[in-house]
């Protein structure tokens, strides 16, 4: 996977980049250029397996302030990294970096449970659909 920032010099100079599959080098691969393919809604799909998901729900009612700050101060204290995050006023779902020790995760959970309900879900996956941001509505309508 190429990061978009790594692609910018080639795209600015109008130089197409071909991405090949190292497991199947005879395949044509994907051509990335400034035009894209308007007929393709989704340009790539990635999957990250064996992910640990942590759901954190505030024990307070709506309108309580400081929940996010309290949660992330515990992550900092335990030096636990977050991979992906989704949040609302009273709940946060995060995926944890695979490199985290189980002891650190257990300590973090104990700390968080002083002010939140915490649920760990192991062996999950993150499925990512890559598309032109201008076509996000098309992707959502097609996939969901």
């Amino acid at each position: 996977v190429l990061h978009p920032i790594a692609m910018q010099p080639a795209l600015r100079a109008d130089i197409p980049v071909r991405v090949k599959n190292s497991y199947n080098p005879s395949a044509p691969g994907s051509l990335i250029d400034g035009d894209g393919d308007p007929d393709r809604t989704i340009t790539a799909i990635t999957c990250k397996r064996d992910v640990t998901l942590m759901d954190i729900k505030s024990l307070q009612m709506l309108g309580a302030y400081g929940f996010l700050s309290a949660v992330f101060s515990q992550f900092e204290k335990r030096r636990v990294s977050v991979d992906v995050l989704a949040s609302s006023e009273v709940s946060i779902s995060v995926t944890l970096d695979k490199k985290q020790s189980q002891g650190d995760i257990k300590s973090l959970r104990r700390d968080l449970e002083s002010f939140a309900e915490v649920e760990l879900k192991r062996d999950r996956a993150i499925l990512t659909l890559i598309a032109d941001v201008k076509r996000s509505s098309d992707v959502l309508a097609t996939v969901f």
Side-chain angles (χ1 to χ4, degrees):
V1 176
L2 293 173
H3 192 280
I5 291 173
M7 298 295 301
Q8 288 178 356
L11 292 175
R12 275 195 300 267
D14 201 25
I15 300 170
V17 175
R18 185 167 301 276
V19 179
K20 300 282 283 185
N21 181 340
S22 59
Y23 295 111
N24 186 5
S26 63
S30 298
L31 185 66
I32 302 171
D33 60 22
D35 299 327
D37 183 348
D39 295 330
R40 290 182 72 181
T41 305
I42 297 170
T43 56
I45 300 173
T46 65
C47 183
K48 188 174 187 179
R49 293 173 174 35
D50 301 321
V51 172
T52 298
L53 174 70
M54 180 180 277
D55 288 326
I56 307 160
K57 296 180 191 126
S58 174
L59 299 176
Q60 303 278 324
M61 294 292 208
L62 286 171
Y65 59 89
F67 175 64
L68 295 174
S69 173
V71 167
F72 287 109
S73 69
Q74 296 305 315
F75 274 82
E76 181 180 19
K77 173 182 163 188
R78 294 296 177 182
R79 301 179 60 86
V80 174
S81 296
V82 170
D83 188 27
V84 177
L85 165 102
S87 68
S88 73
E89 186 178 2
V90 294
S91 70
I92 304 170
S93 294
V94 297
T95 61
L96 304 176
D97 190 305
K98 290 181 186 183
K99 298 173 190 155
Q100 303 300 319
S101 80
Q102 292 307 306
D104 289 342
I105 293 172
K106 189 175 184 178
S107 296
L108 172 64
R109 182 179 189 168
R110 186 182 60 247
D111 293 346
L112 292 170
E113 285 177 335
S114 68
F115 59 89
E117 177 185 325
V118 181
E119 186 177 359
L120 275 180
K121 299 173 184 173
R122 300 187 189 281
D123 302 317
R124 300 296 195 234
I126 299 171
L127 184 65
T128 307
L129 306 175
I130 309 298
D132 183 338
V133 71
K134 296 175 203 154
R135 300 202 57 199
S136 296
S137 296
D138 295 337
V139 172
L140 293 170
T142 302
V143 175
F144 299 103

